[in-house]
Amino acid sequence: MKTKLVIGVLLIGSSFAFTGDDYELISFQKTALSDLFYAEGATFGDLNGDGVMDLIAGPFWYEGPAFEQTHEFYEPNPFDPTGYSDNFFAHVYDFNQDGRQDILIIGFPGQTATWYANPGPTQGHWPAHVVFETVDNESPAWTDLTGDGLPEIVCIANGRYGYAAPDWHDPSQPWTFHPITPNEGWQRFTHGLGVGDVDGDGRMDVLERDGWWQQPASLDGDPVWTRHATLFADYGGAQMYAYDVDGDGDNDVITSLKAHHHGLAWFEHVEKEGQIDFVRHMIMNEQPDENRYGLVFGELHALDLIDIDGDGLKDIVTGKRWWSHGAEGDPDEHSKAYLYWFRLVRSADGVDFVPYLIDDDTGVGVQVVAGDINGDQHPDVVVSNKKGTAVLLQQRQKVSEAEWRKAQPQPR
């Protein structure tokens, strides 16, 4: 296990949180848990019930708070970084309601979703329940889409968007897919998917690269949802978010534009002829002059949205999926495995997303998860990908106003 404090090398990897005369710089302490490639995603949760968060990546869970004690929950099988793994997403949920958190793993696109039942103190591999055979789309969501207080897998199956839900009386049995769209031939490698309330009616809608699908008042009989065509991305990126970026009371959309190339943007929610429309605002693209700070990196195949600095506004966490198609084949495959957060700033001049380096040798997979892992009320980041598995814990240092201002990224 290797630990280092990352303060930034390309742009200063720090930001601020201050009240009155108190200024703080934000950095991240990285601990490498493994240098082997097991998975494209990782997460955290309290698996042993001790009130401390543990980490889950690939076939292992790492016992918090030190993450030095490692436990297998299925047979380990490291993969060649020039290829692909069979583990893309990890989630934590108590499926059988026994008081212990279980683990849901979603595999390679087009493959299965399996949840592993937490056996408690018993040693050995966890009982596995394959509950859905074909999860299509490269950014399936695990969230409460229907508003019943219980999560579903939002994905594509048999050419249609929809959600897979269990019978909660016996969630170990195969789950049922509920389509929400016609069959338009979407396939397993389709990019870009999100869930959020686009129209402000209190019901979650589904976002995809060509538009959004409005949830009807009733889901009885699996009705086809109303489609609102909007070209968010020609190819499609990763996770998509509905969030009020500009603070005007309606939800905008945040997404990467092409998972294996360049582009990060937010789409301003506007009205056009009485209908919801969107205006694109680029945050970062393939040329330095398309970002206020001259920043360029590609392959933004995973995004999270969370308030990193505690100012009440949600920020973007993303990075480069290093070697996403192996050693060759992507636009900047030999660049560093960047991991950044983009601080949302609102001012009289409009909206800005200020980039801060978290680390230049971590990157993302297809899932990046940010949250308070160590219980200090500040969001941290956990990543698993072809670089291995790492946790990056947020650090704060009190400084003078002059030191703080010197550390801030400067616009071009």
Side-chain angles (χ1 to χ4, degrees):
M1 184 180 297
K2 298 179 181 179
T3 301
K4 69 173 181 176
L5 183 64
V6 180
I7 304 181
V9 291
L10 181 63
L11 296 175
I12 298 299
S14 54
S15 182
F16 75 97
F18 64 87
T19 303
D21 295 328
D22 292 332
Y23 288 80
E24 293 183 321
L25 294 182
I26 293 175
S27 59
F28 288 82
Q29 181 174 314
K30 176 182 175 180
T31 299
L33 304 179
S34 171
D35 60 0
L36 297 178
F37 174 39
Y38 288 103
E40 292 280 5
T43 191
F44 65 93
D46 181 9
L47 297 182
N48 56 5
D50 63 356
V52 176
M53 292 297 161
D54 310 301
L55 302 181
I56 301 96
F60 304 109
W61 67 275
Y62 301 83
E63 194 170 329
F67 313 118
E68 293 177 347
Q69 191 168 353
T70 305
H71 307 267
E72 295 178 12
F73 65 94
Y74 69 83
E75 187 68 32
N77 177 31
F79 294 89
D80 184 342
T82 62
Y84 304 97
S85 79
D86 61 0
N87 182 322
F88 269 48
F89 296 87
H91 304 282
V92 172
Y93 195 79
D94 182 5
F95 288 98
N96 53 14
Q97 299 299 302
D98 63 356
R100 295 188 293 265
Q101 296 294 307
D102 309 305
I103 298 172
L104 172 67
I105 298 296
I106 298 176
F108 186 82
Q111 295 183 358
T112 61
T114 304
W115 70 268
Y116 294 83
N118 187 338
T122 304
Q123 298 298 315
H125 295 162
W126 295 14
H129 304 284
V130 178
V131 291
F132 198 63
E133 289 293 337
T134 308
V135 181
D136 293 343
N137 192 289
E138 295 211 12
S139 302
W142 171 245
T143 189
D144 179 13
L145 174 65
T146 62
D148 64 356
L150 298 167
E152 301 91 19
I153 298 174
V154 184
C155 62
I156 296 168
N158 298 317
R160 307 171 76 178
Y161 278 95
Y163 58 96
D167 175 355
W168 287 104
H169 296 293
D170 189 1
S172 64
Q173 296 302 307
W175 294 6
T176 301
F177 185 72
H178 302 267
I180 67 170
T181 73
N183 186 340
E184 297 197 12
W186 290 294
Q187 43 84 27
R188 60 178 176 163
F189 298 124
T190 300
H191 286 72
L193 190 156
V195 172
D197 184 4
V198 176
D199 56 355
D201 65 358
R203 295 187 291 270
M204 294 293 104
D205 308 303
V206 171
L207 292 153
E208 44 104 353
R209 67 188 185 191
D210 290 322
W212 60 283
W213 296 84
Q214 182 180 8
Q215 183 172 162
S218 172
L219 297 178
D220 292 343
D222 290 341
V224 172
W225 295 17
T226 302
R227 184 179 192 176
H228 300 270
T230 299
L231 184 61
F232 292 115
D234 290 319
Y235 180 81
Q239 291 78 14
M240 304 176 70
Y241 294 95
Y243 179 67
D244 186 5
V245 172
D246 51 12
D248 65 355
D250 53 38
N251 277 337
D252 311 296
V253 172
I254 298 170
T255 182
S256 58
L257 301 184
K258 194 170 184 179
H260 299 287
H261 206 278
H262 294 87
L264 177 65
W266 72 278
F267 292 78
E268 182 182 359
H269 180 138
V270 298
E271 283 199 11
K272 183 178 180 180
E273 299 178 353
Q275 301 295 319
I276 295 174
D277 200 2
F278 293 92
V279 176
R280 188 178 77 175
H281 300 271
M282 292 301 303
I283 300 171
M284 181 180 65
N285 208 1
E286 57 186 313
Q287 300 299 326
D289 60 5
E290 295 177 277
N291 175 268
R292 288 191 70 207
Y293 304 89
L295 179 64
V296 174
F297 64 87
E299 299 177 85
L300 283 67
H301 212 306
L303 284 78
D304 204 355
L305 192 67
I306 192 169
D307 182 6
I308 289 286
D309 56 354
D311 65 354
L313 302 180
K314 290 187 178 181
D315 311 300
I316 301 170
V317 178
T318 188
K320 177 182 172 61
R321 187 183 171 200
W322 182 80
W323 276 21
S324 59
H325 285 163
E328 302 294 339
D330 287 309
D332 58 351
E333 67 268 19
H334 299 299
S335 69
K336 294 181 179 180
Y338 293 117
L339 180 62
Y340 269 85
W341 69 281
F342 290 76
R343 178 166 61 93
L344 171 57
V345 178
R346 297 174 185 158
S347 70
D349 296 326
V351 167
D352 193 12
F353 280 94
V354 185
Y356 298 91
L357 180 68
I358 297 176
D359 188 51
D360 66 357
D361 194 31
T362 298
V364 297
V366 297
Q367 178 189 37
V368 58
V369 173
D372 182 13
I373 295 173
N374 60 1
D376 65 357
Q377 308 304 310
H378 303 314
D380 313 297
V381 183
V382 60
V383 172
S384 190
N385 56 22
K386 295 179 180 183
K387 286 283 186 178
T389 300
V391 58
L392 301 103
L393 300 179
Q394 186 178 146
Q395 310 291 309
R396 297 202 174 196
Q397 177 188 5
K398 290 188 179 298
V399 296
S400 68
E401 180 180 356
E403 290 173 308
W404 172 78
R405 293 193 181 280
K406 183 178 180 181
Q408 299 313 299
Q410 298 301 312
R412 290 164 59 91

